[in-house]
Structure formats: C-alpha cells, structure tokens
C-alpha cells in the first residue's frame, strides 16, 4: 500500500480513512487517537478518544470528566484492530503517558511520533525506536544551531545561583505538564532536598505524577501574603510562564527570573522574556537527536510535521531518504 493511502494530512489533522480516525486532531472529531496530553495535541470535544491511561487521566484533569463521550485505554505495545488497520502505541519519552502511534495495513507501517525526546527523563518512559516504512517526526528544534547542553549542567547552574543569592527567591518558569515535574525531579536527583514551592496551576498535575509513583519530594503551595515575603528568600518557586508576567511573581523577594526551555539557547528570546538565568532544558529533541533518531530507525520515508520542517527535509534528502513536509497547522510549543 502507498503510505499516502494509509495516512494523510487534512485541515483537522492526520487522517486514516481505512480506520476512520484522526491522530491528534485540532478540531472535534468522531474518533481521535491522542499521542500525549499537551493541549495542542489533546483537545476536548471528540466523541471517542483512544490514548494511554496516563494521557486519558491528564485530559480529564485538564478538561473535566466530560472531555469526550467515550474513551479507550491503549496499552503500550498491544496491537489493536480499528477498521481495516492495526494500531499500536509505543513510548515517546516526551511527558508522562506520551506515545508514538504505529498505523499498519497491507504490509505498510507508519509511525506518528507526536512530540518526543531522546534524553533520559526520570518522570516518563524513554523513547522506543520502532521500525517503519514512514516515520512522521516533529521538528520543533529542527535547525543545526540547536545543540542543547546536558540537563545536569543546567540544574547545577540553578543550584549555584541559590548559593550565590540566598536572599533572593528563584522563580522558575516551566510548563505545567511535563517540564515542571521534570525540573523538580532533576533537582531532587542533584541532591536538592529543601521544599520546592509551586504555583496553584501545577498542583493537580504534580499530585497526579506523585500518585503514579514519580517522587517529587516536599512540594508546597507558593501562597504568599504581605508577611510571608522573606520566608521565600533562597527558595525555588516553580510556576507556569504566564504567571511570571502578573503581580503574583512580583510578591517574592528580589526574584531571579528563570525559564526552563530549549528556546533559552536563543539569547534574544531570553532577553525578550526578561530572563536572568536561562535554563536550556527541553522536552523535544535537538538537531543531533532528530537526525540520529532518523538514522537509527532507517525509514524509507520521513514526513515532517510542525516545527522547522525544511531544514530537516533537506538533511534527509542529502542522506538519500525521501522526505516531505506536511505543513500541519495548530501545533505550537505548549510543552516547551
């Protein structure tokens, strides 16, 4: 079967006509297969949703009990027939519950990566390479300039700053799903055992991660009143990036503005955000990890979705791999 007959882009997202489903649709549909819980991939309003148990739980936390009419848990590695195709879910290493989705029919297999990363993450299962005819990859950091440093070094810079400025609160901007919990877990692995304070927007997801056996240590609500200001001196406070532009952030004592993102490699982005201590920690692959993954899998074709598509397509062509951009719209960097 020609891959284009098995899965193809539409305005609503990638569609499998033979299975009657979409993968990560950007509009409400009858049947949706979801790779992970970030809002640009997991939207509410679908009639039937198939995803890993963790992703279904995360969608319920974010959207409420009525996020879909019916749901189906995907067990990692289990092959399930849908219409005229077979699908299976495999770890993507992006956030808790994230999965690649393999779609097969008549001897052709396409793997939709969703968002993924190759670095070790104590809060989720690692990426699992799957042999396939077509690998559909993201390209969030799909330019050769993106070489992200080791996570341990970025965490060490934060811990060093805590020692240098014990009178200042250290406010870390990190997205609510995945990045915040990963930063906390990496701090714990580095030996930081003091309480970590979190914005209320992170509480339910942090509680869920801990309920899944992911140890985050002593985390407390970052509630601050007029008399509490100095109690946060030298403390680590983590919140969603949006919270750092409102009066909540200004309540803390002489805060050090920190943002954990792969985009912090771009100095102008850090400057625009007023970031004093950029932490280059990404939940996506950098350029070497993207190209190494394609080399490892060895697909016959590569289709590139959201991100910096053209550079990765060109790299594939230079390696003798057929490639094309899909120009999907509606996906941003919510998890980054």
């Amino acid at each position: 079967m020609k891959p284009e007959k098995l899965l193809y882009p539409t305005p609503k997202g990638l569609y499998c006509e033979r299975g009657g489903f979409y993968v990560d649709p950007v509009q409400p549909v009858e049947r949706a297969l979801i790779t992970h819980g970030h809002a640009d991939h997991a939207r509410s309003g679908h009639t039937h949703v198939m995803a890993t148990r963790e992703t279904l739980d995360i969608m319920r936390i974010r959207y409420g009990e009525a996020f879909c009419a019916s749901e189906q848990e995907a067990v990692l590695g289990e092959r399930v027939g849908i219409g005229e195709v077979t699908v299976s879910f495999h770890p993507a290493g992006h956030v808790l519950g994230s999965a690649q989705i393999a779609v097969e029919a008549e001897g052709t297999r396409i793997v939709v990566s969703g968002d993924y990363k190759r670095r070790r993450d104590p809060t989720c299962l690692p990426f699992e390479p799957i042999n396939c005819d077509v690998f559909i990859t993201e390209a969030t950091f799909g330019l050769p300039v993106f070489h992200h440093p080791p996570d341990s070094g970025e965490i060490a810079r934060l811990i060093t700053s805590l020692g240098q400025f014990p009178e200042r609160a250290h406010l870390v901007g990190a997205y609510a799903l995945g990045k915040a919990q990963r930063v906390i877990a990496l701090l714990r692995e580095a030996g930081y055992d003091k309480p970590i304070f979190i914005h209320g927007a992170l509480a339910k997801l942090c509680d869920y991660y801990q309920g899944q056996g992911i140890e985050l240590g002593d985390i407390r609500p970052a509630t601050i009143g007029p008399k509490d200001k100095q109690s946060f001196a030298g403390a680590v406070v983590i919140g969603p990036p949006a919270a750092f532009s409102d009066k909540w952030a200004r309540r803390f004592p002489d805060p050090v503005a920190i943002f954990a993102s792969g985009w912090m490699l771009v100095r102008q982005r850090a400057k625009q955000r007023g970031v004093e201590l950029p932490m280059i920690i990404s939940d996506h692959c950098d350029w070497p990890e993207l190209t190494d993954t394609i080399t490892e899998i060895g697909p016959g074709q590569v289709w590139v979705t959201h991100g910096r598509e053209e550079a990765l397509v060109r790299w594939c062509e230079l390696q003798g791999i057929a490639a094309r951009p899909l120009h999907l719209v509606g996906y941003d960097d919510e998890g980054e």
Side-chain angles (χ1 to χ4, degrees):
M1 174 186 289
K2 291 184 177 180
E4 295 82 0
K5 297 289 186 180
L6 180 56
L7 202 62
Y8 56 86
T10 74
K12 292 184 178 180
L14 286 170
Y15 183 58
C16 177
E17 188 173 345
R18 292 198 170 205
F21 61 81
Y22 292 83
V23 177
D24 291 350
V26 297
Q27 301 173 28
V29 299
E30 182 68 23
R31 181 182 290 270
L33 275 59
I34 305 297
T35 60
H36 66 283
H38 281 142
D40 57 332
H41 291 256
R43 291 168 165 85
S44 63
H46 307 307
T47 303
H48 182 82
V49 170
M50 183 179 186
T52 64
R53 170 47 50 196
E54 295 89 347
T55 295
L56 292 171
D57 290 343
I58 287 166
M59 292 180 74
R60 183 172 292 103
I61 290 169
R62 298 189 119 184
Y63 301 128
E65 290 292 334
F67 73 90
C68 68
S70 65
E71 62 185 66
Q72 179 180 357
E73 178 182 348
V75 177
L76 291 174
E78 183 178 281
R79 293 163 56 83
V80 177
I82 302 178
E84 300 175 16
V85 305
T86 301
V87 303
S88 55
F89 286 61
H90 307 269
H94 182 53
V95 297
L96 181 63
S98 63
Q100 307 166 80
I101 300 176
V103 182
E104 302 177 54
E106 298 181 15
T108 297
R109 177 191 288 167
I110 300 176
V111 170
V112 185
S113 71
D115 289 337
Y116 67 103
K117 70 174 179 291
R118 301 305 306 269
R119 300 195 180 197
R120 177 187 169 275
D121 182 341
T123 68
C124 67
L125 294 174
F127 178 92
E128 179 183 316
I130 304 297
N131 291 330
C132 55
D133 300 289
V134 178
F135 182 56
I136 301 182
T137 178
E138 57 135 320
T140 301
F141 293 106
L143 289 173
V145 68
F146 289 110
H147 287 244
H148 295 149
D151 300 336
S152 58
E154 299 303 287
I155 294 295
R157 292 172 61 234
L158 171 55
I159 293 175
T160 297
S161 182
L162 288 166
Q164 291 175 333
F165 304 105
E167 74 284 1
R168 304 177 68 186
H170 284 60
L171 273 59
V172 182
Y175 286 99
L177 171 57
K179 185 65 67 63
Q181 296 80 19
R182 183 178 172 205
V183 168
I184 294 171
L186 289 172
L187 278 165
R188 299 308 188 198
E189 287 189 342
Y192 186 82
D193 58 2
K194 296 179 181 179
I196 294 174
F197 298 89
I198 60 171
H199 187 279
L202 309 184
K204 288 184 178 180
L205 286 168
C206 285
D207 287 346
Y208 179 73
Y209 267 64
Q210 290 186 303
Q212 297 301 303
I214 296 166
E215 182 54 55
L216 302 179
D218 185 358
I219 54 176
R220 303 179 185 180
T223 52
I224 182 168
K227 298 180 180 180
D228 301 324
K229 192 168 184 177
Q230 289 309 313
S231 65
F232 285 90
V236 174
V237 182
I238 300 179
F244 289 74
S245 60
D246 62 28
K247 62 182 180 180
W248 175 83
R250 294 191 291 272
R251 297 174 181 174
F252 296 93
D254 191 17
V256 178
I258 306 165
F259 187 31
S261 170
W263 291 112
M264 291 298 96
L265 189 65
V266 182
R267 292 183 181 179
Q268 188 60 27
R269 287 221 180 189
K271 184 178 179 180
Q272 288 172 348
R273 286 180 171 267
V275 174
E276 184 174 346
L277 178 59
M279 290 176 63
I280 307 168
I281 296 179
S282 177
D283 281 334
H284 297 263
C285 290
D286 64 7
W287 176 260
E289 291 161 347
L290 286 169
T291 57
D292 288 350
T293 298
I294 293 169
T295 300
E296 180 180 5
I297 293 172
Q301 296 184 43
V302 172
W303 298 351
V304 186
T305 61
H306 52 293
R308 281 74 232 159
E309 301 168 325
E310 299 298 341
L312 192 57
V313 167
R314 180 59 178 158
W315 179 88
C316 289
E317 292 171 345
L318 291 173
Q319 310 307 310
I321 303 169
R324 67 185 182 102
L326 295 184
H327 301 303
L328 296 180
V329 297
Y331 304 96
D332 54 29
D333 303 322
E334 192 230 356
E336 194 47 50

